[in-house]
Amino acid sequence: MGIKKTCLPAGREKIFIFDTTLRDGEQAPGASLTSIQKLEIAYQLENLGVDVIEAGFPVASPDDFKAVSNISSKIKKSSVCGLARCTKKDIETAAKSLKKAKKPRIHIFLATSGIHLKYKFKKAEEEILALTKKYTKLARNYCPDIEFSPEDATRSSKDFLYQIIEAAISCGAKTINIPDTVGYSYPQEITSLISDIKNNVSNINKAIISIHCHDDLGMATANSLAALSAGARQAHCTINGIGERAGNASLEEVVMAIKTRKDVFSDFKLDINSKEITRISRLVSNLTGFTIAPNKSIVGRNAFAHEAGIHQDAVLKKRSTYEIMNPKDVGLGKSQLVLGKHSGRHALAKRLKKLGFVFEKKKNDLLFKKFKSLADKKKEVFDEDLIALAEEETKPRIQAYKLVSVAINTGKNLPQASVKIRYKRKILKEKAFGDGPVDSCYKAIDKITGVKAKLLNYKLDAVTRGKDAQGRAKVELKIKGKLIVGRGSSTDILEASVKAYLDAINRAV
Ligand code: KIV
Ligand code: ZN
């Protein structure tokens, strides 16, 4: 990877992990999360040990504001951060949303590259410098912990960047984050940029340098590590690498690279409990509806699987022949047959907690009923089944449309669906023909709801193996120009498909 140990400063130094799954991660097209789901992820991020949770962009929407304030009032160990542009309204809204936070941070950003100044702002460098000073001071009045990001830093003129950073630090910024906003840089450039900042910004020792990499060219993790090796002490990451466009540096990759290559990163100290990685990765995947590619590093289904006979044989003789990490270190255990129809509610709640789901009593009771009926239908209930059940419960609380029943009539011609839905205490029924059973159901639902939805993608997976496996459906719909993802699971694949469609419609309405 070209990182030399000699680049590192002497002594073990803390590397701060700034997680932006709930902000940049949620900016991934189709990845919208409710404020309840965000809180659930925040609890898991805290368990994982991240230093900072960027909980959202409070001015962006009332739901974002609510998510940041909910998280602020509940999270105690990690700092909670809200994003703001350099405007009075953004900063005041962020400050308000962070009022209850034990350790609040406001993250302000302002673009500094020539292309952004010319086309986005139509402003001269002096104006950007003045705005940096004015709004860093304003943010500092509201919050002791300010992070400043010169957006598109890697495409900015270095001399201008030095001036901006110096001004932000002298006006109160404690962290200077360097975003590779469009994922354009390669590792050697990042190394030089961080070194140049250290050598050319007079007050840089009063701030922590941070790095924020996007993955447009697949170099986000390598670039983040290059920055840390050159002296940055904070990395922005997201779980599963989700984020705007091609995503952000993935937390699990950055963390496991540092932990696995202790020979290279021996001077770094991380406070991350890597055994929580698999659990949070699954939680984020389930809640966002973004399935993880099987070959995704660290958290993909195949990341620790060995197919070739030669590999299997060697791993049995000595695991490290083909495994550079121990799966246990990322919390990966074999899928277990954990519960059966005789298991009690306490055992279920305990197992769910271990899988990352904590519910209040009423929901636990409801889940217990659903679990019993699943255990009646399925011979074996695996962790993945429980995750699918729990995932159904983490959907938006207000579900305007709820499925009552679905039936298909397949005659000689096209299949006809009869769908019954509960809406505001009324039962609405419709029938429709379609190109297949799923299509006919969706047409019937369209008639009932009157929502104009365009189906862009449909995917059905088996949650576990075997012919009694639950099906998990995922749909991507375009509703009023917005991409909305819906998920649903059931032992009946048609029901799973209908639930997924209704989930997306409920999110939209
Ligand atoms: O990519 C980016 O530049 C950002 C900033 C808001 C830090 O996400
Ligand atoms: Zn970003």
Side-chain angles (χ1 to χ4, degrees):
M1 117 175 56
I3 297 166
K4 290 205 185 75
K5 201 178 163 196
T6 47
C7 303
L8 299 169
R12 261 163 63 87
E13 285 196 42
K14 160 100 176 163
I15 300 298
F16 294 86
I17 297 293
F18 177 113
D19 181 276
T20 181
T21 307
L22 300 176
R23 200 277 298 169
D24 219 333
E26 209 224 4
Q27 278 173 228
S32 75
L33 293 161
T34 65
S35 51
I36 298 161
Q37 293 172 327
K38 286 186 184 175
L39 181 60
E40 206 178 322
I41 293 174
Y43 278 133
Q44 286 305 324
L45 287 170
E46 193 176 41
N47 271 346
L48 179 67
V50 305
D51 299 284
V52 187
I53 297 173
E54 188 165 48
F57 190 2
V59 84
S61 72
D63 214 54
D64 251 49
F65 182 90
K66 196 168 137 198
V68 180
S69 17
N70 273 351
I71 292 171
S72 295
S73 63
K74 298 281 196 282
I75 295 297
K76 301 287 175 247
K77 282 188 256 160
S78 316
S79 297
V80 178
C81 175
L83 182 70
R85 288 167 297 190
C86 280
T87 71
K88 190 166 183 279
K89 187 170 174 217
D90 276 39
I91 292 170
E92 285 177 351
T93 311
K96 215 167 143 196
S97 70
L98 292 166
K99 251 198 174 126
K100 292 195 181 139
K102 198 157 175 233
K103 297 190 222 165
R105 176 179 294 190
I106 298 180
H107 173 197
I108 51 174
F109 72 103
L110 186 60
T112 48
S113 65
I115 186 168
H116 280 238
L117 262 59
K118 184 168 174 197
Y119 296 103
K120 193 168 92 176
F121 293 141
K122 297 188 173 46
K123 284 193 195 309
E125 288 186 348
E126 301 73 58
E127 291 173 273
I128 298 295
L129 188 61
L131 290 173
T132 301
K133 291 179 185 165
K134 178 175 171 185
Y135 289 107
T136 309
K137 278 186 202 153
L138 179 72
R140 182 63 192 79
N141 283 342
Y142 284 105
C143 182
D145 187 1
I146 301 302
E147 175 160 338
F148 179 85
S149 285
E151 191 191 6
D152 207 14
T154 52
R155 293 193 301 169
S156 304
S157 123
K158 282 194 180 174
D159 285 335
F160 182 49
L161 195 60
Y162 304 149
Q163 281 181 55
I164 291 279
I165 295 173
E166 202 160 76
I169 297 173
S170 62
C171 293
K174 281 193 176 162
T175 305
I176 296 295
N177 178 50
I178 304 299
D180 185 26
T181 303
V182 289
Y184 180 71
S185 304
Y186 62 92
Q188 286 89 335
E189 284 175 325
I190 294 281
T191 304
S192 321
L193 178 59
I194 302 295
S195 308
D196 290 345
I197 290 172
K198 285 178 68 180
N199 293 330
N200 289 285
V201 176
S202 64
N203 53 2
I204 195 67
N205 56 356
K206 295 200 176 117
I208 286 179
I209 304 177
S210 168
I211 186 74
H212 176 106
C213 295
H214 278 272
D215 209 29
D216 299 64
L217 293 173
M219 289 194 278
T221 299
N223 284 339
S224 305
L225 295 171
L228 296 175
S229 297
R233 287 294 170 263
Q234 177 180 275
H236 279 210
C237 309
T238 61
I239 302 295
N240 300 336
I242 62 169
E244 188 81 51
R245 304 181 312 279
N248 290 58
S250 109
L251 183 145
E252 58 278 10
E253 292 173 15
V254 172
V255 164
M256 289 315 289
I258 294 174
K259 292 206 173 209
T260 305
R261 293 303 307 271
K262 287 208 179 76
D263 55 331
V264 180
F265 301 112
S266 59
D267 298 328
F268 291 177
K269 180 183 168 309
L270 276 178
D271 286 325
I272 297 290
N273 176 7
S274 63
K275 289 199 167 70
E276 291 290 332
I277 283 178
T278 300
R279 187 192 322 214
I280 192 162
S281 160
R282 287 180 185 167
L283 179 69
V284 168
S285 164
N286 286 328
L287 295 184
T288 55
F290 278 27
T291 32
I292 303 165
N295 61 331
K296 165 80 181 64
S297 315
I298 323 287
V299 290
R301 195 173 62 227
N302 295 347
F304 294 94
H306 304 278
E307 177 72 23
I310 302 171
H311 289 209
Q312 288 176 351
D313 182 55
V315 166
L316 286 174
K317 288 177 180 142
K318 179 88 180 150
R319 196 183 52 77
S320 55
T321 48
Y322 286 99
E323 260 179 19
I324 58 165
M325 290 167 269
N326 189 333
K328 283 192 189 140
D329 290 342
V330 297
L332 199 64
K334 287 231 162 66
S335 177
Q336 302 157 13
L337 174 64
V338 281
L339 301 167
K341 61 180 175 188
H342 302 298
S343 308
R345 57 187 78 218
H346 181 65
L348 175 69
K350 219 170 136 192
R351 189 70 211 164
L352 284 170
K353 194 171 169 201
K354 215 160 178 209
L355 293 170
F357 298 94
V358 182
F359 298 110
E360 80 268 41
K361 187 179 172 318
K362 228 165 123 191
K363 253 210 174 145
N364 265 333
D365 290 346
L366 181 74
L367 260 170
F368 185 64
K369 266 195 195 157
K370 292 190 173 182
F371 158 71
K372 282 281 174 186
S373 97
L374 181 68
D376 274 340
K377 284 184 209 152
K378 278 193 98 234
K379 267 203 310 232
E380 301 170 319
V381 179
F382 293 93
D383 283 356
E384 286 83 350
D385 292 312
L386 296 178
I387 291 170
L389 268 192
E391 178 196 320
E392 287 278 310
E393 288 315 309
T394 49
K395 283 179 180 173
R397 228 164 247 201
I398 303 152
Q399 291 187 39
Y401 298 100
K402 260 193 134 164
L403 178 68
V404 176
S405 68
V406 55
I408 297 288
N409 207 338
T410 36
K412 272 194 202 130
N413 302 317
L414 293 174
Q416 189 189 36
S418 309
V419 179
K420 275 191 204 167
I421 284 173
R422 178 167 310 162
Y423 178 68
K424 292 187 178 165
R425 299 206 181 140
K426 278 192 243 146
I427 302 287
L428 309 174
K429 292 187 259 186
E430 275 298 347
K431 289 185 178 180
F433 289 102
D435 291 335
V438 173
D439 184 51
S440 57
C441 288
Y442 290 178
K443 289 207 164 97
I445 294 172
D446 289 347
K447 278 193 192 172
I448 293 174
T449 62
V451 173
K452 284 201 170 63
K454 186 169 178 223
L455 180 66
L456 302 177
N457 250 313
Y458 166 84
K459 194 162 172 273
L460 184 69
D461 285 320
V463 174
T464 49
R465 278 163 250 252
K467 57 179 191 296
D468 59 356
Q470 288 195 88
R472 179 166 33 209
K474 177 186 164 194
V475 296
E476 285 174 19
L477 304 186
K478 195 156 199 182
I479 299 174
K480 289 189 188 151
K482 260 184 122 178
L483 176 70
I484 304 198
V485 177
R487 292 163 293 115
S489 50
S490 166
T491 45
D492 178 327
I493 54 172
L494 194 66
E495 193 175 301
S497 309
V498 169
K499 279 181 169 176
Y501 197 80
L502 276 178
D503 180 36
I505 288 185
N506 281 325
R507 283 171 196 268
V509 301

